[in-house]
Amino acid sequence: MTTATAPTARRAAPAERSAREVYRDTVAELLPREERLVVLDSDTGLFGGVDFGDGAERYLNLGIAEHTLMGAAAGLAREGRIAVVNTMAAFAASRALEAVKLDIALGELPVVIAATHSGVSAGHLGPTHHALEDLASMRVLPHMTVVVPGDPAQTAELLCQALALGGPVYLRLGRGATPALPADAGPPRLGKAQILRRGGDITFAACGPYPVLAALEAAELLAADGISANVLHLHTVKPLDTPALLDSLGDQRHLITVEEHWAAGGFGSAVAEELGALPVRVHRVAMPDAFVPVAGSQRQLLEQGGVSAQSIAARARRALGNSGGGTR
């Protein structure tokens, strides 16, 4: 499939558009032109009122039936289509996981699972709609590429690259608008980390819009203390850009991972697995090992869970004051 060039990255104010809206608009732009592309929806309402033009017959709303959705996508992909599945992350990574594993990943089929409302971005709906386990579920599946755009503009670019990949992709998207990455971040490349800040004392590796923002803010806090931090944005959780991590670390002894996920099995675990043979201590800043019992905004719930600039800076100060080995 020849995909369209991704729209030019716009560094807009956070309130303009969310990643899922950019995803929706990009799909609506591609569908009339790409005859192999088919979009399967789970009655989310995201595509309500969208004019697909000549591609309208290739938009299929199968209703709230996520397991069936994955099976249908796999069948279409096996017959030569490139399928995009639209559902919520909490359901893609749990309710439909068996079908993702056996119907999509096992066959290494070209299906992009666009999972919205990830992490605690549906914080107002409570723990039934939180998705703090999805990176763990998806990254362990053979053949699965796992991608977490850092801001809305990156979503269009990474979606187009995912469609051209030719295999299964889990595209993790939030619900609401999130801040833009720094203007000098440059365009994302699937599988390649982005260096957002350079420093010689410690490295922060972040995944997801608010974790990246928190890591950058923590680096600013530490700079006031004379501590300089690298900040890496790893939008591709699998395959992980290990060379970029190693290059950024140099002879540093500490790396802090930051993510919107439970600590077990997520992005930080992936980094720790890759660096386990090195004399580097990996400190994980992630959501606590508990369900989030209260409703709130995405950023509010993250900060309550310790995924904040202040928590990262405090962890860095403690790490640099104690250079023991191991992973925690």
Side-chain angles (χ1 to χ4, degrees), residues 55-80:
E57 64 180 11
R58 285 180 280 111
Y59 167 76
L60 307 172
N61 186 355
L62 274 65
I64 303 174
E66 291 84 2
H67 195 282
T68 301
L69 198 72
M70 301 300 175
L76 288 165
R78 193 170 289 281
E79 293 301 314

Side-chain angles (χ1 to χ4, degrees), residues 212-281:
V212 171
L213 177 65
L216 287 168
E217 290 176 346
E220 289 289 342
L221 293 175
L222 293 172
D225 297 337
I227 301 170
S228 65
N230 286 320
V231 179
L232 265 66
H233 170 221
L234 286 95
H235 48 68
T236 307
V237 176
K238 182 183 179 181
L240 202 65
D241 190 355
T242 305
L245 285 169
L246 295 175
D247 182 66
S248 182
L249 280 166
D251 59 0
Q252 294 175 15
R253 297 288 305 278
H254 296 276
L255 181 144
I256 296 178
T257 62
V258 192
E259 61 190 304
E260 186 175 347
H261 193 276
W262 284 315
F267 168 67
S269 295
V271 172
E273 289 164 13
E274 289 294 305
L275 303 181
L278 300 178
V280 175
R281 188 163 189 178

Side-chain angles (χ1 to χ4, degrees), residues 36 43 48 77 84 92 104 140 153 160 199 212 224 226 232 238 274 292 295 307:
R36 293 177 59 201
D43 206 23
V84 175
I104 296 173
V140 299
C160 289
V212 171
L232 265 66
K238 182 183 179 181
E274 289 294 305
V292 181
V307 183

Side-chain angles (χ1 to χ4, degrees), residues 145-222:
T145 296
V146 179
V147 184
V148 188
D151 67 6
Q154 282 201 343
T155 301
E157 297 162 342
L158 290 170
L159 171 62
C160 289
Q161 293 175 39
L163 291 170
L165 196 60
V169 178
Y170 182 72
L171 184 69
R172 191 190 207 226
L173 307 174
R175 175 182 177 272
T178 54
L181 291 177
D184 58 356
R189 291 175 54 207
L190 206 63
K192 298 296 182 183
Q194 294 177 293
I195 301 173
L196 303 183
R197 186 181 179 118
R198 293 188 182 274
D201 296 317
I202 195 167
T203 292
F204 301 154
C207 168
Y210 282 116
V212 171
L213 177 65
L216 287 168
E217 290 176 346
E220 289 289 342
L221 293 175
L222 293 172

Side-chain angles (χ1 to χ4, degrees), residues 104-109 138 140-145 165 167-169 238:
I104 296 173
L106 179 62
E108 202 170 353
L109 295 172
M138 291 295 172
V140 299
L141 296 177
H143 311 307
M144 184 67 70
T145 296
L165 196 60
V169 178
K238 182 183 179 181

Side-chain angles (χ1 to χ4, degrees), residues 1-94:
M1 171 180 176
T2 303
T3 57
T5 302
T8 302
R10 291 191 294 270
R11 302 302 167 187
E16 279 201 4
R17 288 198 302 170
S18 66
R20 66 180 178 133
E21 290 170 329
V22 172
Y23 149 74
R24 176 200 64 200
D25 295 346
T26 305
V27 166
E29 178 185 339
L30 291 173
L31 196 60
R33 300 203 305 264
E34 305 294 349
E35 294 184 356
R36 293 177 59 201
L37 186 62
V38 60
V39 178
L40 288 81
D41 199 4
S42 56
D43 206 23
T44 61
L46 180 60
F47 290 100
V50 173
D51 181 6
F52 291 110
D54 293 340
E57 64 180 11
R58 285 180 280 111
Y59 167 76
L60 307 172
N61 186 355
L62 274 65
I64 303 174
E66 291 84 2
H67 195 282
T68 301
L69 198 72
M70 301 300 175
L76 288 165
R78 193 170 289 281
E79 293 301 314
R81 299 288 189 176
I82 295 176
V84 175
V85 172
N86 183 63
T87 189
M88 293 187 183
F91 308 136
S94 54

